[in-house]
Structure formats: C-alpha cells, structure tokens
Amino acid sequence: MKVHVLSTGVMETDLTWLLLKGGRTIRDRHHKDDPVVWGDCPTHAVLIEHPDGKILWDTGVPRDWEQRWAPTGFQEFFPVREPVDGPGYLDTALADLELGPDDIDVLVLSHLHFDHAANAKMFPKAKIMAQRAELEGVKTITGEFAGAHLVSDYAGLDIEPIDGDAEIAPGVGVIFTPGHTWGTMSLRLDLPNDGTKIFTSDAVYLADSWGPPAVGAAIVWDNVKWLESVDKLRRIADETGAEMIFGHDAEQAKTLTYAPDGHYS
C-alpha cells in the first residue's frame, strides 16, 4: 500500500473561521487595533494505492472556484491563491503520478463542503462514498447552498452511504467524527512502515484546534458533537500512537511529504 498526499489548492482566509483562540485570532484590549489575521488555508487529498484498487480521499477546491462559489459569497472569504490555469489542483496532482480520473476506483468524501467535494463529478467510474448522516443532512438544504454546502457539487451523484466507523479496505478505515457537519469523517490508515496516520479533515482544522484543550472555530455545526469527536480522535491517537494530520494547517503542511516527491507506506 502506497499513500500519496496530494496538494489540491491553497485558500487564504481570516483565521477566525478556523480558530477562536485568544491571543491569536481573538484580540485583547491592548491589540484591538491590530489588523485581522489572514493566513493560508491549504487543502489536500489522499490517494491510496491499495491491492484492492485506487482509493481517493477528498477532492480539494475547483479551478472555477470564483464563479462556482459566487452563490455562497465565500469566494470573498476564501480566495484560492493558485492561478486557475496553473498547477496545484487535484487534476495536476494526479497527473504528476501519471493518473487521471478514470484510474480512481473508490472516492471517499469526508463531508460535502465546497473545498472537499467540489471535484467529485470528475470521477464518473468511481464508487463514491460518504457518511449516511451527511447525505441525510444535505437533503434538508433548500436552494443552491447552505453555509459551505454547495448543492451543485454533489447533486445527481450516486453516493453510497457509510454508517459510523467503517473499514473501506484492509488498513484503510473511516472514523465518524461529526460536529463540523452532520457527517464529517476522518481517515485512518494503518501502514506497515509508517505506522498509523489519521487525516482529520475538518473534524480538526489545525494543531492549535487539537490542543489540549480543544479550541473551537467559527464554522462548526454542533459544538458539543465536535468536542466529542475530538475526544474520540484523541482516544484513538493515544491507543495507536497515530500521527494526526489536520485538515487545513499551513505550518504542518510544510512538514508533509507531498506527491510526486514521495509517499508513505
């Protein structure tokens, strides 16, 4: 089994969306006139070359992000740094591995937000999977979007539901970690050489979010469920010695091995 981390677009944003932390994004009276803290918000996908097939986790941001996101207004709050005609998106990350959309057998979506499910329709031959709670939750959306759920990203797709924690293939599992959305999942990989790695997606945005204590964010559907999910992940990490790879941590991203320069196994 080979695991490739793919760069799938770097957004920029006011970090308060990701972290409600005193001294970093929340100001005391001595710093009330300081500028708003903007920073990078990288996205990634994970390609797993498994004996059972090629499994892709998440899809990053779309090249047409500015037009696609216009109904939500989020293009003003999460502009993508990469030029739309350059590298740095999912298609070029796959091409660097001499792969295309038709090579993906299974696509697992951590949740259906516009920076994770945006490119799901690129993979017409793949079996697509998401948590049942997420699929049921998006049925309640009326109109084009709700928050960061953009209906056009996933409308019409045949998505197979996952119930709770589940094994996708030997050594590849998902952990049900709701709170950010109805059905957010994290990815668990048990690797013979590199040990257990947990890709948290948006169950935990940043190392600063992880704590302890866990620190919340502006984009959280249910704060109690979010805290319960962080506790669940912490128990699993303690039991397995897992390396935690957070959903949008710019500093941690600098330390990861990205395709095509290397992989985990």
Side-chain angles (χ1 to χ4, degrees), residues 8-11 43 59-70 75 78-86 88-91 113-122 148 150 152-153:
T8 56
V10 179
M11 302 180 290
T43 71
T59 70
V61 301
R63 287 189 181 275
D64 62 345
W65 59 272
E66 187 142 21
Q67 294 76 32
R68 181 99 64 95
W69 297 349
Q75 78 280 5
F78 292 91
V80 180
R81 196 178 63 199
E82 279 82 7
V84 296
D85 58 350
Y89 295 85
L90 178 60
D91 56 351
H113 272 176
F114 62 52
D115 56 330
H116 294 264
N119 293 306
K121 291 183 178 179
M122 285 174 54
L150 186 58
S152 62
D153 285 341

Side-chain angles (χ1 to χ4, degrees), residues 142-158:
T142 59
E144 293 182 81
F145 72 96
H149 285 98
L150 186 58
V151 173
S152 62
D153 285 341
Y154 52 83
L157 290 175
D158 181 14

Side-chain angles (χ1 to χ4, degrees), residues 205-217:
Y205 286 125
L206 310 168
D208 273 346
S209 312
W210 178 243
V215 180

Side-chain angles (χ1 to χ4, degrees), residues 99-257:
L99 296 173
D102 289 350
D103 295 307
I104 302 304
D105 299 296
V106 178
L107 170 61
V108 185
L109 298 171
S110 66
H111 60 298
L112 298 179
H113 272 176
F114 62 52
D115 56 330
H116 294 264
N119 293 306
K121 291 183 178 179
M122 285 174 54
F123 302 94
K125 294 185 178 181
K127 178 170 74 172
I128 304 177
M129 309 176 77
Q131 187 68 214
R132 186 184 298 274
E134 188 78 357
L135 298 176
E136 292 300 316
V138 297
K139 290 179 182 178
T140 67
I141 297 173
T142 59
E144 293 182 81
F145 72 96
H149 285 98
L150 186 58
V151 173
S152 62
D153 285 341
Y154 52 83
L157 290 175
D158 181 14
I159 305 179
E160 180 177 314
I162 299 171
D163 292 298
D165 300 351
E167 183 181 72
I168 305 300
V172 180
V174 294
I175 306 167
F176 182 37
T177 48
H180 173 68
T181 68
W182 306 280
T184 299
M185 300 187 293
S186 301
L187 174 68
R188 173 175 170 171
L189 301 176
D190 294 308
L191 304 176
N193 296 320
D194 290 311
T196 298
K197 296 187 182 296
I198 295 176
F199 291 82
T200 67
S201 183
D202 289 357
V204 186
Y205 286 125
L206 310 168
D208 273 346
S209 312
W210 178 243
V215 180
I219 305 179
V220 176
W221 161 68
D222 186 314
N223 282 288
V224 173
K225 288 186 181 297
W226 176 79
L227 284 166
E228 291 172 348
S229 292
V230 175
D231 285 344
K232 178 180 181 178
L233 288 172
R234 202 182 304 283
R235 289 194 302 271
I236 295 170
D238 288 344
E239 291 166 2
T240 63
E243 177 186 4
M244 306 301 294
I245 300 174
F246 305 115
H248 294 289
D249 194 308
E251 291 304 310
Q252 185 184 49
K254 298 174 185 177
T255 71
L256 300 177
T257 299

